[in-house]
Amino acid sequence: MHQKIKSYLNSDTDAASLAFYRLAFGIMMFLGMVRFALNGWIDKFYIKPVFHFTYYGFGWVKPFGYATYGLFVVCAVAALMVAFGYKYRLGIILFFLSFTYIELMDKTTYLNHYYFISVMSFVLIFLPANVFFSADAKNNPQLHSETVPRYTVDVLKILLGIVYFYAGLAKLNSDWLIDAMPLKIWLTSNTHLPIIGPLLGKEWVAYAFSYIGAVYDLFIVFLLLNRRTRWFAFILVVVFHVLTRILFPIGIFPFVMIVSSLVFFSSGFHRRILFFVQDLWFRVNTSLLRRAAVFPHPQPLSEGEGSSFTQAAAESAILESNSTTNNAQQSASEIRQNPRLRSISEIRVPKIEGKLPTTYNQQPTNRLIPAFLALFILFQLIFPFRYLAYPQELFWSEEGFRFSWRVMLMEKAGYTQFKVTDSITGKTIYINNHEHLTAFQEKQMSFQPDFILEYAHYLHDLYARKGMADPAVYADSYVALNGRLSTRYIDPKVNLAKQDESFSHKTWILPFKDTITGF
């Protein structure tokens, strides 16, 4: 076993796969930042709210007011640095820190795929994703390598596999399989859609979607791993995620998963994509140079300019030839031979014949990375099961729900009214949540215990500053889960201002009056 592990760690694979993922990941993240800004979400989620819900232990992470825009700019620029492989290590560290900070500013916006992005960007810090098809490799030939350790690509596949498989396991419960919940609720709200809309109101469709969704999540990775079923699996990936994008407001998650699933393809496939990108890059630069008149079209000659015209015509002929050929290698060769074209800073993607050269330079400190990544994967395998340490139904208490790849399993709605009482005078004030929270924050707060507790502490501190003596905060809360009747959620006799946040079970959550079996 030890020998097999040692042999595996010493084996290499084509660096194109890692370079492809770096490029795709960086571009997706840049577009994600642009999308967030264009939709006005920076202002809506991080600047306008007067109160932000934070993760336990990260209460110090706050927005910077209008300077928060600068944080998003840093994140977007870092994503481009990752995509181009320019100062890659700095870029991916900046991206991980800035993106994760953004997500920690307010847990109201928590989504599984945001966590997935933080996880992947953290792992990419330790991978040599810039040794091929990157600005770093071009600027520093000593860095260039045609190969990388095999585990550096496999770790990405494993993490993606965990997301899918655990999402499938989470669907193996009675609500999903026996009651077709919550799809039975959600699909009926899409009956207005053309073609498929009338079908979505039928009960059998909700059951079909539930079972297909579970089977898809459980087995799609295995189909992607098998070369014979890979293209069929990718078609399933595209159909599944495009359909979920149409039916549900889940942002860029479908596109992240579609592009990420390409990492299962062969390195030859990744090289072809990189060739295409290289050729596209060349064409765009050529077009820009023409527009900028760097290579002007021939003008009428005056006497004695014959030699200059000949040179311009030759360059023009090369450009015209490049605009009509699909041979990327020929284009690259012409660029290298022409000093003016070489300034375009092309990125070389050579073909490899025969055995791949093992040129990746394993530094002594790098030998610790495989062990670290193995521990990180082990953590990702165990952490989602932490809910087993809590006594209540997971969907009800949500203790251990986040960061466990439980995707779209609950339709939960709540109503929570707070009252604040002066401990000496007994004077009581009923809180209008709209004065302190946005509509989105109030919706999320109304059925999540840690939100309710944090908001109660905020009210305690607010009214203490206004002169109340040790304000007591009580919640009158009702929650409906997956089509069940609304039920009292929080013990109304408990002063939440005296309850501390921790990883311990929240005893003031009233018991769930039903049973959900399964994962």
Side-chain angles (χ1 to χ4, degrees):
M1 177 62 75
H2 178 266
Q3 189 59 36
K4 287 184 178 179
I5 294 175
K6 187 176 179 181
S7 176
Y8 171 74
L9 293 177
N10 289 328
S11 63
D12 291 331
T13 189
D14 191 342
S17 296
L18 198 54
F20 161 79
Y21 191 81
R22 186 208 74 234
L23 179 67
F25 184 84
I27 292 175
M28 279 193 301
M29 296 305 103
F30 173 75
L31 295 177
M33 290 298 107
V34 172
R35 171 177 173 269
F36 214 87
L38 292 180
N39 282 318
W41 292 339
I42 301 173
D43 184 63
K44 179 179 179 180
F45 294 136
Y46 300 114
I47 297 178
K48 277 188 176 177
V50 297
F51 173 73
H52 295 279
F53 292 98
T54 58
Y55 294 89
Y56 179 53
F58 292 92
W60 52 274
V61 178
K62 301 289 186 185
F64 309 127
Y66 285 104
T68 306
Y69 282 103
L71 180 62
F72 277 82
V73 170
V74 169
C75 194
V77 171
L80 285 180
M81 292 170 67
V82 171
F84 290 111
Y86 176 71
K87 296 187 183 301
Y88 167 75
R89 202 70 67 186
L90 174 63
I92 190 62
I93 291 174
L94 274 178
F95 178 81
F96 166 71
L97 292 177
S98 57
F99 185 88
T100 303
Y101 189 96
I102 289 169
E103 296 314 309
L104 291 174
M105 287 193 299
D106 196 328
K107 62 185 174 186
T108 310
T109 59
Y110 169 82
L111 288 173
N112 282 284
H113 70 270
Y114 290 153
Y115 175 50
F116 174 71
I117 290 169
S118 282
V119 168
M120 293 301 257
S121 59
F122 176 72
V123 168
L124 281 169
I125 292 174
F126 303 96
L127 306 186
N130 61 333
V131 299
F132 184 76
F133 200 72
S134 70
D136 286 349
K138 177 178 180 297
N139 295 332
N140 180 13
Q142 297 298 318
L143 182 67
H144 176 83
S145 174
E146 301 289 345
T147 65
V148 291
R150 184 176 300 278
Y151 72 82
T152 61
V153 178
D154 288 346
V155 68
L156 300 177
K157 298 177 182 178
I158 292 172
L159 289 172
L160 195 63
I162 290 174
V163 174
Y164 272 122
F165 190 71
Y166 274 41
L169 282 180
K171 289 181 173 64
L172 302 181
N173 66 77
S174 55
D175 270 20
W176 187 271
L177 297 177
I178 296 177
D179 299 320
M181 284 292 184
L183 287 181
K184 197 182 290 183
I185 298 173
W186 291 341
L187 292 182
T188 54
S189 64
N190 287 286
T191 52
H192 63 282
L193 293 175
I195 303 176
I196 63 172
L199 289 174
L200 300 179
K202 300 183 182 300
E203 188 172 286
W204 68 266
V205 175
Y207 278 96
F209 273 48
S210 294
Y211 278 85
I212 290 173
V215 172
Y216 169 86
D217 282 340
L218 285 170
F219 295 103
I220 191 64
V221 169
F222 300 104
L223 295 177
L224 286 167
L225 284 170
N226 191 314
R227 182 175 59 82
R228 294 180 178 177
T229 58
R230 190 167 295 146
W231 273 107
F232 171 69
F234 183 68
I235 293 172
L236 290 180
V237 169
V238 173
V239 172
F240 181 85
H241 286 295
V242 168
L243 189 59
T244 57
R245 179 68 182 84
I246 294 172
L247 296 176
F248 310 114
I250 49 179
I252 64 170
F253 178 68
F255 307 111
V256 170
M257 299 307 283
I258 289 173
V259 175
S260 295
S261 66
L262 291 173
V263 76
F264 288 94
F265 280 69
S266 68
S267 59
F269 174 80
H270 298 140
R271 277 185 178 265
R272 285 193 291 275
I273 294 180
L274 296 181
F275 266 117
F276 173 79
V277 172
Q278 174 185 268
D279 190 49
L280 183 65
W281 176 255
F282 172 79
R283 289 167 186 265
V284 169
N285 275 283
T286 300
S287 176
L288 292 175
L289 287 169
R290 272 181 172 166
R291 292 184 181 183
V294 174
F295 298 108
H297 289 289
Q299 300 295 322
L301 296 177
S302 59
E303 189 176 353
E305 289 183 332
S307 58
S308 298
F309 173 75
T310 302
Q311 178 66 24
E315 292 173 347
S316 178
I318 291 174
L319 293 171
E320 188 64 29
S321 173
N322 285 330
S323 69
T324 56
T325 182
N326 292 322
N327 191 326
Q329 283 185 304
Q330 180 182 346
S331 299
S333 174
E334 289 166 350
I335 294 170
R336 286 193 296 274
Q337 293 171 9
N338 188 314
R340 296 173 73 178
L341 288 174
R342 197 163 55 233
S343 64
I344 295 172
S345 69
E346 83 292 355
I347 300 173
R348 188 171 67 92
V349 189
K351 287 184 177 178
I352 291 179
E353 297 179 357
K355 186 178 180 181
L356 293 173
T358 54
T359 55
Y360 177 65
N361 183 21
Q362 284 264 31
Q363 300 296 326
T365 53
N366 290 350
R367 301 186 187 283
L368 298 176
I369 291 178
F372 174 77
L373 293 177
L375 290 174
F376 185 73
I377 289 174
L378 182 63
F379 171 79
Q380 290 296 331
L381 289 170
I382 296 174
F383 193 57
F385 288 104
R386 70 191 187 281
Y387 75 94
L388 295 173
Y390 295 100
Q392 286 241 29
E393 162 57 42
L394 172 63
F395 288 179
W396 184 249
S397 70
E398 298 200 32
E399 293 173 316
F401 187 86
R402 296 191 199 99
F403 315 114
S404 60
W405 313 120
R406 296 176 180 275
V407 184
M408 302 188 70
L409 295 173
M410 294 192 303
E411 170 58 33
K412 210 171 178 184
Y415 167 81
T416 302
Q417 170 71 64
F418 288 87
K419 65 178 183 182
V420 181
T421 301
D422 188 301
S423 298
I424 296 178
T425 66
K427 179 183 177 183
T428 295
I429 296 174
Y430 286 88
I431 303 299
N432 181 357
N433 294 327
H434 297 289
E435 295 179 356
H436 308 279
L437 305 176
T438 65
F440 184 45
Q441 286 179 318
E442 183 180 9
K443 177 184 176 183
Q444 296 296 316
M445 178 277 295
S446 63
F447 57 80
Q448 299 185 66
D450 55 338
F451 279 67
I452 292 173
L453 181 62
E454 188 173 3
Y455 185 50
H457 280 260
Y458 162 78
L459 294 175
H460 169 272
D461 296 342
L462 175 66
Y463 282 91
R465 290 196 297 272
K466 290 184 176 182
M468 270 195 177
D470 193 17
V473 183
Y474 302 95
D476 190 18
S477 178
Y478 289 83
V479 168
L481 171 63
N482 284 348
R484 295 175 177 83
L485 294 175
S486 183
T487 308
R488 188 180 285 279
Y489 192 49
I490 302 298
D491 188 341
K493 299 177 182 176
V494 172
N495 178 7
L496 294 175
K498 298 295 183 184
Q499 305 298 314
D500 294 325
E501 179 61 288
S502 71
F503 291 121
S504 302
H505 169 55
K506 295 175 175 56
T507 56
W508 38 269
I509 303 174
L510 295 175
F512 184 53
K513 297 180 179 178
D514 199 352
T515 301
I516 301 175
T517 56
F519 283 94

